[in-house]
Structures are given as structure tokens and as C-alpha cells.
Amino acid sequence: MMADFVAVFLWFCNFLLLFGFTDSIPLCTESNFCNTYGGSKCFDGEKVVLNKCDTQFPSRGLCLEKIGNGSYLNMVAHPDGSDRAFFANQAGKIWLSTIPEQGLGGTLGLDESSPFMDLTDQVHFYNSFGLMGLAFHPNFARNGRFFASFNCDTVKTPGCSGKCSCNSDVNCDPLKLASSSSGSVQPCRYYKVIAEFTANGTASDISMATRAKPSEVRRIFSLGLPIAFNHGGQILFGPADGYLYVMLGDGGIEEDHYNFSQNKKSLLGKILRLDVDNMPSEAGIVDQWGNYSVPQDNPFSEDNELQPEIWARGLRNPWRCSFDSQRPLYFICADAGQDEYEEVDIITKGGNYGWNVYEGPFLFNSSHSPAISMDLIFPVLGYKHSDVNNNVSASICGGYFYRSMTDPCLYGSYLYGDLYGSAIWSAVESPTNSGNFTTTLLPFSCAHDSPIQCKSVPESSLPDLRYIYSFGEDNRKEIYVLANNGVYRVVRPSRCNYTCPKEIVKVVSSQISSSSSCRNHFTYPNGELMLLLSSLLHVLGTIL
């Protein structure tokens, strides 16, 4: 009797799939069935078992498929919610791509010869310089606005100018800095720029625009950099408040000699929060940094010593931050260390994350650390350099909370990796919102049926990612690894022979396709289908 009950449940899952009811609300999973209908009515594929509703199944490994050969630094899901995403490389080109559906063997629909926009004549690309961040306005589909964060060279690019981050306000003398820290490169020859662009006028329907104008609408932000390293550059719109968050490193001087990260008047080593929807008049431009206004609830409203743009401080080089798609106020950042430790921080309003007094949880032995009393926030995750890459080097790359049901054993965990491509971690937070994480170093491999064949590291089974530049997330909440050797997507664990008890590989009815048919979701906001399924199951439960 119970087997018939579960068969109907799975049949209904397949019905939803066949008629296109996909995405957004987890439905056809073992844990959902168990949580809804109690511990005595659970399924695991072919047969019914009793009291198997433990939802804590740690992942046995991360399965990837390669869907693109390009090397990209940024991936941003199209704001219209479609199966498209923007990819950008460090040199300054941006492409609009179609994302292939899982399990059908497709690759990225991206034409390298036809970029969405080409900024290579404006971007200074070298080493840690280039197009570092990309953000599309939440209302892009209606207003066509988007923003690029990049570096420019005052010697080569007209209009590359602004205020130097090394100035008297922060007790920094550019002449002394030139002689002591930056060698032959003049301080503030290179700038961090955030510029606004538009897709308006390129298509009758902005959301369908395939090209944008390469000329700036306005210069939002401009900051002269002391030297050529550790300047971050990612930009994100906050999903809850619509403000633009800007991640800036400490400027790259070893040990943060000028204490930029702790200096409340410096923007270096900070996360900024800007309002780009309410532009000030020329007279109201904030301290010559750019063309934006400051949200009135920024931390300066409680600490008048802070520069008004600052949201958080005490960071060395924040490299890839994200908001949890299920908790839009939950903001998490990876911060690259210097000598010993790589860290992940939960970012809060006015938070101080310790650099250069601390590197991660460890006191940083530097004579330059300011001897001041402060309330510091320590990392929730991290690893020592000695833990990876044969003690040679390490640099963290932040990722995302995994919110897809493609690999249900990863659901809700935070994925992050190391630049050098040999380590990816999964961290589980328990209880939720506690900041208490347990992390696991994940084995990872490439699916044997990957659309693009994966090369392996010599004398190893690891896919040859070479470098992990960033992570990405699409509108279906699938997670991507942006690597030096291509674009990789997280797929069903069984495709790599990893075991996840929650993955539905076999189902009762032979008419239901294996593995993927009951991992889909539906999007109707009023929940009519959930109500229909719930009613059906309760009626059958009464009859059976």
C-alpha cells in the first residue's frame, strides 16, 4: 500500500516536469516528502523504508561538468530571470551567453567573436589589474543600467584621473610611498574605476539586448591606488536594499604599512555601500570620490569618524563575496591573507574584520599594527597556507551558498575554493544563522559524460582547473566554477559515481526518467500546484 502511495507521489513529480513546472520551490525530494508527511512515509527510490527522514547527508564529493573553454573572471545571471548569464574576462570583454539545461549535453551559447561590450581600450590589463567586477541593476530589464569595475592607467587612458588614496587625510605621503614601497611605479598611476553603462537604444526590449554601448554614462567612482596589488574590485547589488556594494583591498603594501584597512578615513581595505539611484548635484559629490549618494543608514550615522561610504573595514583583499539567495541579508566574503591564513567572514554593518592587527584568528606580528582597542569580528571559516598546495602558496576564492537541488547533499552548504585549483570546500552552518560552520574538504572530479572533455592533473584524478578565478550562480541557483581552463558546473553526484542518499537515481515507475525527473521545482507564486499535490497525497493517505 505504501509503495503505491509513493508511486503516486513520484508520478506527480513527473507530471510537473513534463508540463514545464520547474524551478524555485523544492518539491520532489526525499527530505521534502519526509518533512511534510512524517517519519513513517519516506521513500528512497525503488522501495519504501521506515523512519528514514534524517536530512543530514554529508556530500561525498563534488561532481563537475565542463560546459565552456573560456577563461572568465565574472559571471552574472541575467536580471530578467532567464536561462542567460553575462560572462566577463579580465581583459575587458563582456559576453551574453545562454546556459544549457542540465543533463542534455549542451555547452555555453557564447560567441567569443561577438561580445556584449568591449572595454579593452579603457581597461588596464596586467597581473591583478583588469575588469574586476560586473553588476547589473536589479531593474536592468526596464532601465538598461549596468556597472563595470576596472582599472585604468593615467599614462595610457584619457580620463583616467581622480583623487589618490595616499593623501594627507590618511597620513600618507605619495613621495615617500614612491621611494619606499612601489619601486619605479608612481603611486596612483593606476586607478580603480566604477563606471555606468547602458543597453538602452540597442533593442526594442532591453531585456533582449545583445549589445551595449561602450561609452560611459557616468563615472560612479574613481580611486587612485598606491601600488599594483590587493585592490579587490568586485561589485554587487544588495538583493534586500538595492544598494551597490564595492569590495576594496588594502592597496597591496606589505603588512598594510600605512594601516589603510583600519584607518576610518581611508577607503582601502573596506567594503563600501553606495546609492547609485539618487545622484547628487556636482556640489554634492562625496569628497571627490565619485558620482553617487550615501545611504543614510550607513555606519557613519553611528560613528562620525568613518568615511560615509564605508560599510565594513579591516579587510586585506576581499576576493569574491555573495548574498545567500534564501537569506538576502546574509552577506559572506572571502578575504585573502598574506603570510599564513585565508579566511571567510560574515559581513555586518560597521564590522571590523581585524586586518592588519589580526590575520584570520591569529595575531599578526607586525610592528605596523595600530595599538588600539577595538571590537573585532573573527572569521567563521578559513585554512592555513600549509594545509594546501604542498605548502607553496594559497589564496582563497569565495563562493556561494548552494541552493540547487541538483546535488541535494550539498543543499544549504557554502562552497568556496583556493585560487590554485586543487582544493574546494563545503561548509555547513548549524544551527542556521549562527555563524557556526563545519567545513569539509571535498574530493571533486569531472563527469565521464561531460559535454567538453576534462583534462586531468598529471598523476592525479583531479580535473585540471589550473586556477580557480571565481564562482558563479545562475537564475536556477546552479553553481559554476570559473577556472583558468574553462567553465565548470556542479552536476548530479551520481555522474561521478559519488553517493548521495537524497539523489533520486531510480524511481518506482518505469515511465519516469531516472535521476533528474524529481529534482525539479515549480514557480507559480500562489502555490496551486503544491496545494493540489498536498490534497492528492492526503486523500490517498486516507484511502490507503
Coordinates of all heavy atoms in Angstrom, one line a residue, residues 356-419:
N356 N 45.1 45.0 9.9 CA 46.3 44.2 10.0 C 46.7 43.9 11.4 O 47.9 43.6 11.6 CB 47.4 45.0 9.3 CG 47.8 46.3 9.9 OD1 47.1 46.8 10.9 ND2 48.8 46.9 9.5
V357 N 45.8 44.0 12.3 CA 46.1 43.6 13.7 C 46.0 42.1 13.8 O 46.9 41.5 14.5 CB 45.0 44.2 14.7 CG1 45.3 43.8 16.1 CG2 45.0 45.7 14.6
Y358 N 45.1 41.5 13.1 CA 45.0 40.0 13.0 C 45.0 39.6 11.5 O 44.5 40.3 10.7 CB 43.7 39.5 13.7 CG 43.8 39.4 15.2 CD1 43.6 40.6 16.0 CD2 44.0 38.2 15.8 CE1 43.6 40.5 17.3 CE2 44.1 38.1 17.2 CZ 43.9 39.3 17.9 OH 44.0 39.2 19.3
E359 N 45.5 38.4 11.3 CA 45.4 37.7 10.0 C 44.5 36.5 10.4 O 45.0 35.5 11.0 CB 46.7 37.3 9.4 CG 46.6 36.6 8.1 CD 47.9 36.2 7.5 OE1 48.7 35.7 8.3 OE2 48.1 36.3 6.3
G360 N 43.2 36.5 10.0 CA 42.3 35.5 10.4 C 42.2 35.5 11.9 O 42.1 36.6 12.6
P361 N 42.3 34.4 12.6 CA 42.2 34.3 14.1 C 43.5 34.5 14.8 O 43.6 34.5 16.0 CB 41.7 32.9 14.3 CG 42.3 32.1 13.2 CD 42.3 33.0 12.0
F362 N 44.6 34.8 14.0 CA 45.9 34.9 14.6 C 46.4 36.3 14.7 O 46.3 37.1 13.7 CB 46.9 34.0 13.8 CG 46.5 32.6 13.6 CD1 46.1 32.1 12.4 CD2 46.6 31.7 14.7 CE1 45.7 30.8 12.3 CE2 46.2 30.4 14.6 CZ 45.8 29.9 13.4
L363 N 47.0 36.6 15.8 CA 47.6 38.0 15.9 C 48.7 38.1 14.9 O 49.5 37.2 14.7 CB 48.2 38.1 17.3 CG 48.7 39.5 17.7 CD1 47.5 40.5 17.7 CD2 49.4 39.5 19.0
F364 N 48.6 39.2 14.1 CA 49.6 39.4 13.1 C 50.8 40.1 13.6 O 50.7 41.2 14.1 CB 49.0 40.2 11.9 CG 49.8 40.4 10.7 CD1 50.0 39.3 9.9 CD2 50.4 41.6 10.4 CE1 50.8 39.4 8.8 CE2 51.2 41.7 9.3 CZ 51.4 40.6 8.4
N365 N 52.0 39.5 13.6 CA 53.2 40.0 14.2 C 53.8 41.1 13.3 O 54.7 40.8 12.6 CB 54.2 38.9 14.5 CG 53.7 37.9 15.5 OD1 53.1 38.3 16.5 ND2 53.9 36.6 15.3
S366 N 53.2 42.3 13.4 CA 53.7 43.4 12.6 C 53.9 44.6 13.5 O 53.0 45.0 14.2 CB 52.8 43.7 11.5 OG 53.1 44.9 10.9
S367 N 55.0 45.2 13.4 CA 55.3 46.5 14.1 C 54.4 47.6 13.7 O 54.3 48.6 14.3 CB 56.7 46.9 14.0 OG 57.1 47.1 12.7
H368 N 53.7 47.4 12.5 CA 52.9 48.5 11.9 C 51.5 48.4 12.4 O 50.7 49.3 12.1 CB 52.9 48.4 10.4 CG 54.3 48.4 9.8 ND1 55.2 49.5 10.1 CD2 55.0 47.6 9.1 CE1 56.3 49.2 9.5 NE2 56.2 48.1 8.8
S369 N 51.1 47.3 13.1 CA 49.7 47.2 13.5 C 49.4 48.3 14.5 O 50.1 48.5 15.5 CB 49.5 45.8 14.1 OG 49.6 44.8 13.2
P370 N 48.3 49.0 14.4 CA 47.9 50.0 15.3 C 47.6 49.5 16.7 O 46.9 48.5 16.9 CB 46.7 50.7 14.7 CG 46.1 49.6 13.9 CD 47.3 48.8 13.4
A371 N 48.2 50.1 17.7 CA 48.0 49.7 19.1 C 46.7 50.4 19.6 O 46.8 51.3 20.4 CB 49.2 50.0 20.0
I372 N 45.6 49.9 19.2 CA 44.3 50.5 19.6 C 43.4 49.4 20.1 O 43.5 48.2 19.7 CB 43.7 51.3 18.5 CG1 43.4 50.4 17.2 CG2 44.5 52.5 18.1 CD1 42.7 51.1 16.1
S373 N 42.5 49.8 20.9 CA 41.4 48.9 21.4 C 40.3 48.9 20.4 O 39.8 49.9 20.0 CB 41.0 49.3 22.8 OG 39.9 48.5 23.2
M374 N 39.8 47.7 20.0 CA 38.8 47.6 19.0 C 38.0 46.3 19.2 O 38.5 45.3 19.8 CB 39.3 47.7 17.6 CG 40.3 46.5 17.3 SD 41.1 46.7 15.7 CE 42.2 48.1 16.0
D375 N 36.7 46.4 18.8 CA 35.9 45.2 18.7 C 36.0 44.5 17.4 O 35.6 45.1 16.4 CB 34.4 45.6 19.0 CG 34.2 46.1 20.4 OD1 34.8 45.5 21.3 OD2 33.3 47.0 20.6
L376 N 36.6 43.4 17.4 CA 36.9 42.7 16.1 C 36.0 41.5 15.9 O 35.5 40.9 16.8 CB 38.4 42.2 16.1 CG 39.5 43.2 16.3 CD1 40.8 42.6 16.2 CD2 39.4 44.3 15.2
I377 N 35.7 41.2 14.6 CA 34.9 40.1 14.2 C 35.8 39.1 13.6 O 36.5 39.4 12.6 CB 33.8 40.5 13.3 CG1 32.8 41.5 13.9 CG2 33.0 39.3 12.8 CD1 31.8 42.1 13.0
F378 N 35.9 37.9 14.1 CA 36.8 36.9 13.6 C 36.1 36.0 12.6 O 34.9 35.9 12.5 CB 37.3 36.0 14.8 CG 38.3 36.8 15.7 CD1 37.8 37.4 16.9 CD2 39.6 37.0 15.3 CE1 38.7 38.1 17.7 CE2 40.5 37.7 16.1 CZ 40.0 38.2 17.3
P379 N 36.9 35.4 11.7 CA 36.3 34.6 10.6 C 35.5 33.4 11.1 O 35.8 32.9 12.1 CB 37.6 34.2 9.8 CG 38.7 34.3 10.7 CD 38.4 35.4 11.7
V380 N 34.6 33.0 10.2 CA 33.7 31.9 10.5 C 34.3 30.6 9.9 O 34.0 29.5 10.2 CB 32.3 32.1 10.1 CG1 31.6 33.2 10.9 CG2 32.2 32.4 8.5
L381 N 35.2 30.8 8.9 CA 35.8 29.7 8.2 C 37.2 30.1 7.7 O 37.5 31.3 7.7 CB 35.0 29.3 6.9 CG 33.7 28.7 7.1 CD1 32.9 28.7 5.8 CD2 33.8 27.3 7.6
G382 N 38.1 29.2 7.4 CA 39.4 29.5 6.9 C 40.3 28.3 6.9 O 39.9 27.2 7.2
Y383 N 41.5 28.5 6.4 CA 42.5 27.5 6.3 C 43.9 28.1 6.3 O 44.1 29.2 5.9 CB 42.3 26.6 5.1 CG 42.3 27.3 3.8 CD1 43.4 27.4 3.0 CD2 41.1 27.8 3.3 CE1 43.4 28.0 1.8 CE2 41.0 28.4 2.0 CZ 42.2 28.6 1.3 OH 42.2 29.2 0.1
K384 N 44.8 27.3 6.8 CA 46.2 27.8 6.8 C 46.8 27.5 5.4 O 46.5 26.5 4.7 CB 47.0 27.0 7.9 CG 46.7 27.4 9.3 CD 47.6 26.7 10.3 CE 47.2 27.1 11.7 NZ 48.1 26.4 12.7
H385 N 47.8 28.3 5.0 CA 48.5 28.1 3.8 C 49.2 26.7 3.8 O 49.2 26.1 2.7 CB 49.6 29.1 3.6 CG 49.0 30.5 3.3 ND1 49.8 31.5 2.8 CD2 47.8 31.0 3.4 CE1 49.0 32.6 2.6 NE2 47.8 32.3 3.0
S386 N 49.6 26.2 4.9 CA 50.3 24.9 5.0 C 49.3 23.8 4.7 O 49.8 22.6 4.5 CB 50.9 24.8 6.4 OG 50.0 24.9 7.4
D387 N 48.0 24.1 4.7 CA 47.0 23.0 4.5 C 46.8 22.6 3.0 O 46.2 21.6 2.7 CB 45.7 23.4 5.1 CG 45.7 23.5 6.6 OD1 46.6 22.9 7.2 OD2 44.8 24.2 7.2
V388 N 47.3 23.5 2.1 CA 47.0 23.2 0.7 C 48.3 23.5 -0.1 O 49.2 24.1 0.3 CB 45.9 24.2 0.2 CG1 44.6 23.9 0.8 CG2 46.3 25.7 0.4
N389 N 48.2 22.9 -1.3 CA 49.3 23.2 -2.3 C 50.7 22.9 -1.9 O 51.6 23.6 -2.2 CB 49.2 24.7 -2.8 CG 47.8 25.0 -3.5 OD1 47.3 24.2 -4.3 ND2 47.2 26.0 -3.0
N390 N 50.8 21.9 -1.1 CA 52.2 21.4 -0.7 C 53.0 22.6 -0.1 O 54.2 22.7 -0.3 CB 53.0 20.9 -1.9 CG 52.3 19.7 -2.5 OD1 51.8 18.8 -1.8 ND2 52.2 19.6 -3.8
N391 N 52.3 23.4 0.7 CA 52.9 24.5 1.5 C 53.5 25.6 0.6 O 54.3 26.4 1.0 CB 54.0 24.0 2.4 CG 53.4 23.0 3.4 OD1 52.3 23.0 3.7 ND2 54.3 22.1 3.9
V392 N 53.2 25.6 -0.7 CA 53.8 26.5 -1.6 C 53.1 27.9 -1.5 O 53.7 28.9 -1.3 CB 53.8 26.0 -3.1 CG1 54.3 27.1 -4.0 CG2 54.6 24.8 -3.2
S393 N 51.8 27.9 -1.8 CA 51.1 29.2 -1.7 C 49.6 28.9 -1.6 O 49.2 27.8 -1.8 CB 51.4 30.0 -3.0 OG 50.9 31.3 -2.9
A394 N 48.9 29.9 -1.3 CA 47.4 29.8 -1.2 C 46.8 31.2 -1.3 O 47.4 32.2 -1.0 CB 47.0 29.2 0.2
S395 N 45.6 31.2 -1.9 CA 44.8 32.4 -2.0 C 43.3 32.0 -2.1 O 43.0 31.3 -3.1 CB 45.3 33.3 -3.2 OG 44.6 34.5 -3.2
I396 N 42.5 32.4 -1.2 CA 41.1 32.0 -1.1 C 40.3 32.6 -2.2 O 40.5 33.7 -2.7 CB 40.5 32.3 0.3 CG1 39.2 31.4 0.5 CG2 40.2 33.7 0.4 CD1 38.8 31.4 1.9
C397 N 39.3 31.9 -2.7 CA 38.3 32.4 -3.6 C 36.9 32.0 -3.0 O 36.5 30.9 -2.9 CB 38.4 31.7 -5.0 SG 37.2 32.3 -6.2
G398 N 36.1 33.1 -2.7 CA 34.8 32.9 -2.1 C 33.8 32.4 -3.1 O 33.9 32.6 -4.3
G399 N 32.7 31.7 -2.6 CA 31.7 31.2 -3.5 C 30.3 31.6 -3.1 O 30.0 32.7 -2.8
Y400 N 29.5 30.6 -3.0 CA 28.0 30.8 -2.8 C 27.5 29.7 -1.8 O 28.0 28.6 -1.8 CB 27.2 30.7 -4.1 CG 27.5 31.8 -5.0 CD1 28.6 31.8 -5.9 CD2 26.6 32.9 -5.1 CE1 28.8 32.8 -6.8 CE2 26.8 33.9 -6.0 CZ 27.9 33.9 -6.8 OH 28.1 35.0 -7.7
F401 N 26.4 30.0 -1.2 CA 25.5 29.0 -0.6 C 24.8 28.2 -1.7 O 24.2 28.9 -2.6 CB 24.5 29.6 0.4 CG 25.1 30.1 1.7 CD1 25.5 31.4 1.9 CD2 25.3 29.1 2.7 CE1 26.0 31.8 3.1 CE2 25.8 29.5 3.9 CZ 26.2 30.8 4.2
Y402 N 24.9 26.9 -1.6 CA 24.4 26.1 -2.7 C 22.9 25.9 -2.5 O 22.5 25.3 -1.5 CB 25.1 24.7 -2.7 CG 24.7 23.9 -3.9 CD1 25.3 24.0 -5.1 CD2 23.8 22.8 -3.7 CE1 25.0 23.2 -6.2 CE2 23.4 22.0 -4.7 CZ 24.0 22.2 -6.0 OH 23.7 21.4 -7.0
R403 N 22.1 26.4 -3.4 CA 20.6 26.4 -3.2 C 19.9 25.6 -4.4 O 18.7 25.8 -4.6 CB 20.1 27.8 -3.1 CG 20.5 28.6 -1.9 CD 20.1 27.9 -0.6 NE 20.5 28.6 0.6 CZ 20.3 28.2 1.8 NH1 19.8 27.0 2.0 NH2 20.7 28.9 2.9
S404 N 20.6 24.8 -5.1 CA 20.0 24.0 -6.1 C 19.8 22.6 -5.5 O 20.4 22.2 -4.5 CB 21.0 23.9 -7.3 OG 20.6 22.8 -8.2
M405 N 18.8 21.9 -6.1 CA 18.6 20.5 -5.7 C 19.2 19.5 -6.6 O 19.0 18.3 -6.5 CB 17.1 20.2 -5.6 CG 16.4 20.9 -4.4 SD 17.1 20.5 -2.8 CE 16.7 18.7 -2.7
T406 N 20.1 20.0 -7.5 CA 20.8 19.1 -8.4 C 21.6 18.1 -7.6 O 21.7 16.9 -7.9 CB 21.7 19.9 -9.4 OG1 20.8 20.7 -10.2 CG2 22.5 19.0 -10.2
D407 N 22.3 18.6 -6.6 CA 23.0 17.8 -5.6 C 22.4 18.0 -4.2 O 22.8 18.9 -3.5 CB 24.5 18.1 -5.6 CG 25.3 17.1 -4.7 OD1 24.7 16.5 -3.8 OD2 26.5 17.0 -4.8
P408 N 21.4 17.3 -3.9 CA 20.7 17.6 -2.6 C 21.5 17.4 -1.4 O 21.2 18.0 -0.3 CB 19.5 16.6 -2.6 CG 19.9 15.5 -3.6 CD 20.8 16.2 -4.6
C409 N 22.6 16.7 -1.5 CA 23.5 16.6 -0.3 C 24.3 17.8 -0.1 O 24.9 18.0 1.0 CB 24.4 15.4 -0.4 SG 23.5 13.8 -0.1
L410 N 24.4 18.7 -1.0 CA 25.1 20.0 -0.9 C 24.2 21.1 -0.5 O 24.7 22.2 -0.2 CB 25.8 20.3 -2.2 CG 27.1 19.6 -2.5 CD1 27.6 20.1 -3.9 CD2 28.2 19.9 -1.5
Y411 N 22.9 20.9 -0.6 CA 21.9 21.9 -0.4 C 22.2 22.7 1.0 O 22.3 22.1 2.0 CB 20.5 21.4 -0.4 CG 19.5 22.5 -0.4 CD1 19.1 23.2 -1.6 CD2 18.9 22.9 0.8 CE1 18.2 24.2 -1.5 CE2 18.0 24.0 0.9 CZ 17.6 24.6 -0.3 OH 16.8 25.7 -0.3
G412 N 22.3 24.0 0.9 CA 22.4 24.8 2.1 C 23.9 25.0 2.5 O 24.1 25.8 3.4
S413 N 24.8 24.3 1.9 CA 26.2 24.4 2.3 C 26.9 25.6 1.5 O 26.4 26.0 0.4 CB 27.0 23.1 2.1 OG 27.0 22.8 0.7
Y414 N 27.9 26.1 2.1 CA 28.7 27.2 1.4 C 29.9 26.6 0.7 O 30.7 25.9 1.3 CB 29.1 28.2 2.5 CG 30.0 29.3 1.9 CD1 29.4 30.3 1.1 CD2 31.3 29.4 2.2 CE1 30.2 31.3 0.5 CE2 32.1 30.4 1.7 CZ 31.6 31.4 0.9 OH 32.4 32.4 0.3
L415 N 30.0 26.8 -0.6 CA 31.1 26.3 -1.4 C 32.1 27.4 -1.6 O 31.8 28.6 -2.0 CB 30.6 25.8 -2.7 CG 29.7 24.6 -2.7 CD1 29.3 24.3 -4.2 CD2 30.3 23.4 -2.0
Y416 N 33.4 27.1 -1.4 CA 34.5 28.0 -1.7 C 35.7 27.2 -2.1 O 35.8 26.0 -1.9 CB 34.8 28.9 -0.5 CG 35.2 28.3 0.8 CD1 36.5 28.3 1.2 CD2 34.3 27.6 1.6 CE1 36.9 27.6 2.4 CE2 34.6 26.9 2.8 CZ 36.0 27.0 3.2 OH 36.3 26.3 4.3
G417 N 36.7 27.9 -2.6 CA 37.9 27.2 -3.1 C 39.2 28.0 -2.9 O 39.2 29.1 -2.4
D418 N 40.3 27.4 -3.5 CA 41.6 28.1 -3.5 C 42.0 28.4 -4.9 O 41.7 27.6 -5.8 CB 42.6 27.2 -2.8 CG 43.9 28.0 -2.6 OD1 44.0 28.7 -1.6 OD2 44.8 27.8 -3.4
L419 N 42.6 29.6 -5.1 CA 43.0 30.0 -6.4 C 43.8 28.9 -7.2 O 43.6 28.8 -8.4 CB 43.9 31.3 -6.3 CG 44.6 31.7 -7.5 CD1 43.7 32.3 -8.6 CD2 45.7 32.8 -7.2

